[in-house]
Amino acid sequence: MEPKARIAQLVEELNQHNYRYYVLATPTISDYEFDQLLKELEALEQKHPELRTADSPTQRVGGSITKNFPEFRHLRPMMSLGNSYSREEIAEFDAQVNKLAGGKAYTYLLEHKFDGVSLSLHYENGVLVHGVTRGDGVTGDEITANARTIRSVPLRLQTHEPPATVEVRGEVLMPLDMFQAMNEEREKEGLALFANPRNSTAGTLKNQDSSIVASRNLVFFAYFLYIDGQPIQTDSEQLEQLRQWGFKLSGFDKVCVGLDEVFAYLDEWEGRRFELNYDIDGIVVKVNELELRQELGSTAKAPRWAIAYKYKAADAITRLQSVSFQVGRTGKVTPVANLEPVLLAGTTVRRASIHNADEIERLQLHEGDYVKVEKGGEIIPKIMGVVLEKRDPNSRPIAFPEVCPDCGTPLVRVPGDANHYCTNEKGCPTQVKGRIIHFASRKAMDIDGLGQEIVNQLVDAGLVNTYVDLFDLTYEQLISLERFADLSARNLLDGIAKSKERPFDRVLFALGIRYVGETVARKLARNFRNLTALMDADRETLVATPDVGERIADSLLAYFADPDYRLILERLKKAGVQTSLGEVSAGQDKLKGKSFVISGVFERIGRDELKALIEELGGEVKSSLSSKTNFLVAGENAGPSKLTKAESLGVSTLTEEAFWQMIA
């Protein structure tokens, strides 16, 4: 089969499998079979980049770096909904609708009110061209590269006759099991926990690295459709149209006639909402008939044809058994309340978040207090207050420790930081083990088989005191330990050896330097290219690096000034760990000093890959045009406003073919 035909076949087949897996939840092939087909497509597209299409599943992977998200003015305002908290308010809303309807018959469409982040998707001729956040309702941020990574967002509508333009609105959510796993990993690494799935989703969608967005398994639920000239009469018909085009819907929407049916639905889901693997904080009640909606109109802030019924956050009262003070890998000491088990929102709660010493002070917690815990969109419930009338008058206040609970070192509170830290980072057992676990974690050196129990065993046996010691381990040392057999010892040594292949940016992240996360590590690696240059950089040079502020710069300087850490870095170099990105070859700086803005869809290359290619050749990709921009690279469906602005500013516009000629 010719490459063009095979690529088209694979794209269609993989998109169908993706739809069955992520939208219908009824996969028809195994993950292995899917991966093999995807690898075949990737190989073909690599050989024939001119045949790559915008809807190819290879464009979902992520990896582009976006410095700024350009603003996008919504074609229609994304309005808020009025909120209600009682049946009386719903009845008042219905009376108002009835009055304005002037005797016309109507029904209501009831849907889950997702506790996530609104997203608007724009399709042209069936292909996704823009993904935009709500913003202030008039203007949002264009996050198309990140939206593409969400598997339940169709890159192309499932129809052979798509309308010219379509706007689909919906909500992006983080599944609760994903949020739980992410927080458990952060807790092990001593990092601050994310507050709730909604905040995590918002932060993820605005992440500058789309590969991180792709890793977090976000879900998009469609709930609204704008399309001109389509004979659709009701909102429920719109949902069916969205379903046919390949969008994921909650599946729990219901058309109700009269308030009795509305109230029955509200009551049903007040209890059932905790069965879901995502958060809802209420129900949206909408007039179903679209023509009547037009007549009802809107106020300045909200439509008159819809209202949100909000559920109260689930709470319970239970007894505080104790407060544990946990030490993370960075030395941060976090208080956690241990509670008498209580059923809350469908799960048994045994722990609650307290966060820091200020929170203990605010709550005025005493030993044995009865506390009110709330699970309002949080996996780890939060203590909201103390039931003072049930307090034992002889109970003692909870005091934040003055010394580390693990090693006895006096705790320090940095000015401007709400947290307390143990400064014995090289001798505190929990910190030592935590840094090794972080070093071996999947997003860092990815050492297979090196989990918490094995790290505990290696440190307790005196074989490993810092992560560089891992590279000195021998088969004889491992086989002598309990739980190690021939195969497990060889597998661990093999995993350690393979970690030497990890790229420089992941090595930087693995070092566990405070405030240096994945994104900052990647920026540092690209900017300085090798460890020696980074170690020699002064404060001014560090601060000038994208995304590196004064706090991160000071942390880097302190780390590299420590003779013990410098010795560790020298040992890592000798062990063969990657400490550079390699030299820039001749021709790789062909676009050095030139700035570009990209607009539209391209035939031979995806937008993310085009950005990466420009940066690889020394150029800089900007989010908006200015008089300092050198080129606008305009693909198919490039924004008319950008083309006009480029002309007015005297910025050269390149077609896709002209760009390829430039770099040939």
Side-chain angles (χ1 to χ4, degrees), residues 116-412:
V117 178
S118 297
L119 183 66
S120 170
L121 302 173
H122 295 255
Y123 292 81
E124 295 182 4
N125 298 316
V127 178
L128 176 66
V129 292
H130 300 293
V132 188
T133 63
R134 181 183 180 277
D136 61 6
V138 177
T139 303
D141 291 324
E142 182 169 353
I143 57 165
T144 311
N146 289 347
R148 284 179 176 277
T149 70
I150 303 172
R151 302 284 180 167
S152 47
V153 169
L155 300 182
R156 180 184 291 273
L157 302 181
Q158 291 191 12
T159 173
H160 294 298
E161 297 181 357
T165 59
V166 169
E167 181 185 0
V168 177
R169 292 180 177 178
E171 201 89 353
V172 181
L173 303 168
M174 180 176 288
L176 298 184
D177 54 1
M178 178 64 193
F179 177 75
Q180 176 79 44
M182 194 166 61
N183 256 354
E184 286 175 355
E185 186 174 337
R186 293 180 69 84
E187 189 172 21
K188 288 177 184 176
E189 296 179 3
L191 300 175
L193 300 184
F194 291 119
N196 52 56
R198 180 188 62 255
N199 290 354
S200 302
T201 302
T204 298
L205 284 177
K206 293 299 292 292
N207 198 293
Q208 294 178 320
D209 188 341
S210 63
S211 65
I212 294 176
V213 185
S215 71
R216 292 185 176 172
N217 299 330
L218 299 179
V219 178
F220 176 78
F221 284 104
Y223 58 68
F224 209 73
L225 170 65
Y226 281 112
I227 180 172
D228 295 328
Q230 188 79 357
I232 295 179
Q233 305 297 318
T234 64
D235 198 346
S236 53
E237 291 176 29
Q238 285 192 143
L239 292 182
E240 180 55 35
Q241 178 68 84
L242 288 169
R243 186 179 288 108
Q244 291 176 11
W245 281 345
F247 288 93
K248 186 178 184 68
L249 279 65
S250 75
F252 297 114
D253 51 277
K254 183 177 181 181
V255 176
C256 296
V257 180
L259 284 180
D260 287 344
E261 290 188 14
V262 170
F263 291 147
Y265 186 93
L266 300 181
D267 291 343
E268 176 188 359
W269 280 102
E270 184 161 19
R272 286 188 61 192
R273 59 187 164 133
F274 303 115
E275 301 171 9
L276 303 168
N277 191 32
Y278 54 84
D279 280 332
I280 66 170
D281 58 0
I283 299 296
V284 179
V285 181
K286 303 189 291 186
V287 171
N288 191 28
E289 289 70 25
L290 301 182
E291 185 177 343
L292 180 55
R293 285 187 186 182
Q294 292 289 331
E295 295 177 15
L296 295 175
S298 305
T299 66
K301 294 183 178 180
R304 292 191 179 93
W305 44 263
I307 193 169
Y309 179 80
K310 300 289 288 286
Y311 292 127
K312 293 180 181 178
D315 58 46
I317 293 174
T318 188
R319 188 171 180 271
L320 175 68
Q321 294 180 326
S322 64
V323 175
S324 300
F325 294 90
Q326 301 177 347
V327 184
R329 70 170 175 87
T330 62
K332 187 178 77 172
V333 178
T334 304
V336 177
N338 302 303
L339 306 171
E340 198 170 275
V342 61
L343 189 65
L344 177 62
T347 58
T348 300
V349 172
R350 293 180 172 84
R351 298 193 310 160
S353 173
I354 305 181
H355 301 304
N356 51 47
D358 290 348
E359 187 70 359
I360 292 177
E361 180 66 24
R362 183 187 73 80
L363 294 167
Q364 293 288 300
L365 277 180
H366 282 51
E367 295 174 349
D369 268 348
Y370 281 86
V371 294
K372 181 180 179 181
V373 291
E374 186 175 284
K375 197 175 183 182
E378 302 203 12
I379 297 299
I380 300 178
K382 182 179 181 181
I383 293 179
M384 303 304 295
V386 176
V387 185
L388 294 175
E389 57 269 25
K390 300 186 74 172
R391 172 177 285 171
D392 182 345
N394 298 316
S395 64
R396 294 180 299 177
I398 299 292
F400 203 93
E402 296 181 357
V403 300
C404 174
D406 284 357
C407 68
T409 300
L411 298 180
V412 173

Side-chain angles (χ1 to χ4, degrees), residues 434-452:
R435 278 195 299 277
I436 296 170
I437 290 169
H438 170 74
F439 184 82
S441 63
R442 181 174 57 84
K443 295 180 181 179
M445 302 301 281
D446 194 16
I447 301 177
D448 191 32
L450 194 59
Q452 181 76 60

